[in-house]
Amino acid sequence: MSQYPWFDFDQVDFVTSDQHFSHARISELADRPFATVEEMNAELVRRWNEVVGPDDIVLHLGDLALGPIEESVGLTEHLNGRRFLVPGNHDRVSPATQSRRAIERFAPLYEAAGWSILPEVIEGTRRGYRILASHYPYSGDSHGTDRHTTHRPRGDEGVPLLHGHTHARDHGPHGHEFHVGVDAHDFTPIRFTVIDEWIRSLPDIETRLQAATRQARTVLADIVGGETPGSDALFYTQGCNELVIVLEELLAALPPDEADG
C-alpha cells in the first residue's frame, strides 16, 4: 500500500533541484564556477530554458531560491514549463523549517511564480515501476550529520528514490538513490528518460504490478498451506485480512483499462 501522497511521474519530462537562486554564498559553499550571484542566476535560467520547453513538465526537488524571497522566487517565473515543487529545507514552504503560518504566507508567492507545491515526500509509478521523490536522500547530508530526519523517506527498502540536498558533484545514481541536484548535472535539469534508463538497470527491480502479484501469491500460499480452521480460526481471519490488503494493492497496480474491465 502507498505510504506517501501519490503523484503521477509518467507526466514528468524533467527533474532537478538545488538551484539556490539568489543565494549569495552558494558558489563558495558548493564550489560553483560563478563569480557573482547575478552571473549564477542568469546562467541557471539560461541552461534551464535551453532544454525545457514551454509545454514540458518539470519536477523540482527543493531548495529553489534564497536571498530576498520576493526577488529570488519572482526570478523563477521566467523558467519554462509547468513546474511542481517538492519543498526543501531552504524553501519558505518547507514544513521542516517553516511554521504553518509562514507557509501560508509564502505559498501564494510561489504559486504566483508558476509553482504547484507538493508534499515533502511523494510516491508514484513511472512506466509501471514504483518510485519515490524527496528533497532528502534516505541518508546523507551536505553538513556531515543528517538533518531533518523526520521529514525524509522512512528508510531504504529498495524503492528507487530521486533526491537533492547533498550538493554532491560526483553522481547521479548511487544504489537505490539518484541525486538530481544541479551541482551534479552541469547546472541543468535532467531529462526523465535518464531516470528511466537508471531504474531499468537496477538489479531485481520489479514493476509495481509484479511486486503486488508476488506478495499476493505469497500470502495465498501461506493461507492455503496453513493450519485448518478447526485448529486456529484466528489464523484464517488474519490471513484473509492480509489477503484483502494485498489484493487491493494488486488492483491498484493494474493499468486503468484493466482495473476497470
Side-chain angles (χ1 to χ4, degrees), residues 160 211 238:
Q238 292 174 337

Side-chain angles (χ1 to χ4, degrees), residues 29-244:
L29 296 172
D31 194 26
R32 293 184 175 181
F34 305 112
T36 65
V37 70
E38 292 78 16
E39 177 190 347
M40 180 186 75
N41 286 344
E43 189 63 11
L44 289 172
V45 171
R46 185 189 71 79
R47 296 193 190 198
W48 179 300
N49 289 339
E50 194 172 65
V51 299
V52 177
D55 298 325
D56 288 328
I57 294 179
V58 183
L59 178 62
H60 193 288
L61 300 186
D63 283 10
L64 174 66
L66 279 81
I69 198 65
E70 291 82 1
E71 170 195 327
S72 57
V73 172
L75 176 66
T76 68
E77 70 182 3
H78 300 295
L79 300 173
N80 283 344
R82 181 184 174 196
R83 291 166 275 125
F84 292 93
L85 176 65
V86 172
N89 54 296
H90 286 298
D91 294 310
R92 301 293 181 90
V93 289
S94 166
T97 57
Q98 304 292 318
S99 68
R100 180 180 300 179
R101 191 171 184 178
I103 292 171
E104 291 174 351
R105 174 188 173 191
F106 289 111
L109 185 67
Y110 285 80
E111 291 163 355
W115 294 95
S116 297
I117 302 169
L118 299 176
E120 290 180 294
V121 183
I122 54 175
E123 177 179 358
T125 55
R126 172 75 178 188
R127 307 292 187 261
Y129 295 100
R130 186 179 170 208
I131 188 172
L132 301 178
S134 170
H135 177 65
Y136 310 99
Y138 288 120
S139 62
D141 206 291
S142 59
H143 283 60
T145 302
D146 287 359
R147 296 168 292 167
H148 314 300
T149 55
T150 60
H151 297 266
R152 298 182 182 226
R154 294 185 287 270
D156 183 355
E157 297 178 351
V159 180
L161 169 68
L162 309 182
H163 72 89
H165 188 62
T166 65
H167 292 277
R169 303 189 68 169
D170 58 348
H171 55 256
H174 51 115
H176 295 122
E177 301 171 307
F178 196 112
H179 172 230
V180 304
V182 292
D183 296 283
H185 300 282
D186 200 29
F187 305 101
T188 304
I190 308 163
R191 291 188 183 275
F192 220 102
T193 51
V194 174
I195 306 299
D196 293 333
E197 293 178 6
W198 166 69
I199 292 174
R200 289 193 297 268
S201 74
L202 292 173
D204 302 320
I205 191 69
E206 294 179 306
T207 66
R208 187 185 179 206
L209 180 56
Q210 289 169 334
T213 301
R214 174 177 49 77
Q215 291 167 1
R217 285 173 173 164
T218 299
V219 171
L220 185 59
D222 288 343
I223 294 173
V224 172
E227 302 175 30
T228 63
S231 62
D232 193 351
L234 179 61
F235 170 85
Y236 274 82
T237 300
Q238 292 174 337
C240 288
N241 290 338
E242 291 178 8
L243 185 58
V244 168

